[in-house]
Each structure stands twice: as structure tokens, then as C-alpha cells.
Amino acid sequence: MENLHNIIDEKIIEKTDSSVILEVVIPESSDFFDGHFPEYKLLPAVAQFEVVTRFAKKYLGTERWVPHIKRIKFSAPIRPDTKIKLELNYKAEKKLVSYTISNADKKEIVYSTGSFTTA
């Protein structure tokens, strides 16, 4: 059972068989923010990747097991309660997921991007 403190508010903006765009808010009460700079809470890189793999599985049917990260870049910090846009694309023939996490309201702010294989 999922920890109630890690419940994430999500809304589908657009969905196809191989892609999904979500608006996501991770509340300050989430365990993801515990112990990561208590005076200036930030969403850790590992939590960002947890969110990406969680929603790739939920909406695109991928595996959560990630044997190979091709690239990952963290460009800006994500604060609690920020409305983010998560874009996921899946190339099933290559088992390749690529993603972008950006600010849902300020399109010019990109928090992280990356790609990884699921097999």
C-alpha cells in the first residue's frame, strides 16, 4: 500500500498509447521532502525519478525496473506544492522512455530531462 504522505495530485492533460502529459503537484507534506534541506525543501533527484517511473508504469505500461539510464539532467530545483508538467514518451520497440519535467505555468522553467530503458 502506498504511503499516504507520498500521494501525488495528478491530472491528465493529454494521453496517447505512447505518451502522456500530466500536471502534477507534490505537496509539502510528502515524505519526498523529509530531510532534504529542512529550511529550504527541494524535491530530491531520486524522488523525481520515482515520480517519472511511477507514472510511466501507470500510464504507459512500462516496467519500474530501470537497467540503464541513458541520460539525465537536473536544471532547476523543484519546491513543494509547485505545479509541474510531466511529459512522458515511450518507444516500445526500443523500450525507451524519455521525459521532461517543467513548470506548468512558466514553460521556460525546465526542472529535469532524461531517458532510460526498461529492459
Side-chain angles (χ1 to χ4, degrees), residues 3-81:
N3 184 328
L4 292 178
H5 294 290
N6 281 332
I7 292 178
I8 299 171
D9 182 27
E10 72 201 70
K11 180 172 88 172
I12 298 172
I13 303 302
E14 186 177 312
K15 168 87 174 78
T16 69
D17 288 342
S18 62
S19 67
V20 65
I21 299 173
L22 303 168
E23 278 187 1
V24 176
V25 176
I26 303 170
E28 185 170 2
S29 62
S30 171
D31 289 348
F32 288 148
F33 295 105
D34 286 356
H36 207 73
F37 308 114
E39 64 286 342
Y40 188 81
K41 293 185 176 193
L42 302 175
L43 187 64
V46 69
Q48 290 182 47
F49 202 67
E50 155 67 23
V51 169
V52 168
T53 60
R54 178 188 302 187
F55 290 128
K57 179 180 172 85
K58 181 176 182 177
Y59 291 106
L60 302 175
T62 65
E63 295 295 323
R64 292 286 306 269
W65 185 69
V66 177
H68 183 72
I69 295 174
K70 293 184 138 320
R71 66 177 174 77
I72 201 163
K73 180 179 180 183
F74 299 97
S75 308
I78 300 174
R79 304 274 294 140
D81 299 312

